[in-house]
Amino acid sequence: MNPAVQLRSIQTLVPDATLEQHTVRDMFAAQPGLSRLARRLIATSFDGAGVETRHTVLDELDPTAEIDAPQFLDRTTGALLEPGTAARNDIYAREADRLFVEVARRSLDADPDISASDITHVVTVSCTGFHAPGPDYAVVRGLGLPAAVQRYHLGFMGCYAALPALRAAAQFCRADPDAVVLVASVELCTLHLRSSDDPDAIIASSLFADGAAAALVTARRLPTAVPGLVIDAFHTALIPDGEGDMAWTVGDTGFEMVLSTRVPQLIGMHIHDALGDLWQGDADIAGRLDGQSIGEIVQHWAIHPGGRSILDRVQERLALDDAQLRPAREVLRTHGNMSSATVLFVLQRILEHEGPRSGERVAAMAFGPGLTAESALLTVAGRDDER
């Protein structure tokens, strides 16, 4: 019998600078050189995104901050500037490492039974910058972990990458029941936002934000019950014909997002197939599917809020009720799309605000380039959970 692997002590963190959606909309709409069509698309995209506030490491986008040498916004003219990719990545290396260390420390501080000396593996996740030694190294040094801790970094995978990170952590713990894996994700998406007539860039500008999340994964039998989830299963699916509809590439003035308007439709068309194998591996769920809908069997849903249209399509196709989509919609409303970190924000919200009961099931799902759909099946943990 495999030991129960638990996801516990989920912690989240956002930068101090807050962006009000209407203020960012007006700033993008006022940029010189935009066509009338682009201005209309900006208004439609920003107002329909389901976002009210976001956060950024770029203090100069906060109108109350004092800035000596602006890189991203000329406050005299209101024009967005175009720093090169190297300049953006320099900010990433500095700010991402700080957030990685801080959110990882919060996760450790939140757990009454695990300390830095217990960590055996570190898995970091990010797609919004590059540097070496990277964030895995920064976490080890910043938390004073032993140099022999095993380190792994999942880079440039996109919005779904937190789930492969959790899957790797669970595999480490099943191979070694004494392992304790620290998983941390930091994404600084606002470093790559810029003015454009391109519809994909406009949609990205209306959604993406900065955020950090971390959690602990272990199969150890620990004495204190903390809010957590037993990790049951994972599944990966590739949605046909979606490779060109979501992509993430490196340009001369930052990373460039392709996020076509077909993505919600593609996800809606294929979501049952993408999740089917996840259910079939669970005898309890598979045995009840003939008589009940999946929304009746799985009580909680941590859907990556890639945008309001994606959540609408998922809710419709899976026949989920408003309460089941509330955690994802609230994260989108208050934080925007923080790429890979976002699904951990949603899982944390389920645990802290939805009052889940021990034994209830949780489905997590995130989408990214490919078009890739990563999913996970979890169970709300009780004190004596064991598989």
Side-chain angles (χ1 to χ4, degrees), residues 96-216:
D97 278 2
R98 177 181 63 82
L99 290 169
F100 267 111
V101 173
E102 186 173 346
V103 77
R105 182 177 286 116
R106 289 188 181 193
S107 185
L108 279 173
D109 289 346
D111 200 297
D113 300 321
I114 295 174
S115 63
S117 61
D118 292 305
I119 301 299
T120 59
H121 302 68
V122 170
V123 181
T124 54
V125 183
S126 190
C127 70
T128 47
F130 298 98
H131 65 294
D136 51 313
Y137 176 88
V139 168
V140 168
R141 294 297 298 268
L143 298 183
L145 304 182
V149 165
Q150 296 183 41
R151 297 183 283 125
Y152 304 86
H153 180 68
L154 277 62
F156 220 66
M157 295 180 74
C159 294
Y160 63 82
L163 294 180
L166 293 178
R167 180 171 54 210
Q171 289 169 343
F172 294 146
C173 294
R174 291 191 175 107
D176 176 8
D178 200 44
V180 178
V181 186
L182 173 61
V183 176
S185 168
V186 173
E187 301 289 12
L188 306 185
C189 304
T190 64
L191 291 178
H192 305 291
L193 302 184
R194 58 191 167 280
S195 178
S196 176
D197 275 349
D198 180 70
D200 290 342
I202 290 172
I203 293 171
S205 297
S206 73
L207 290 170
F208 282 97
D210 301 348
L216 300 171

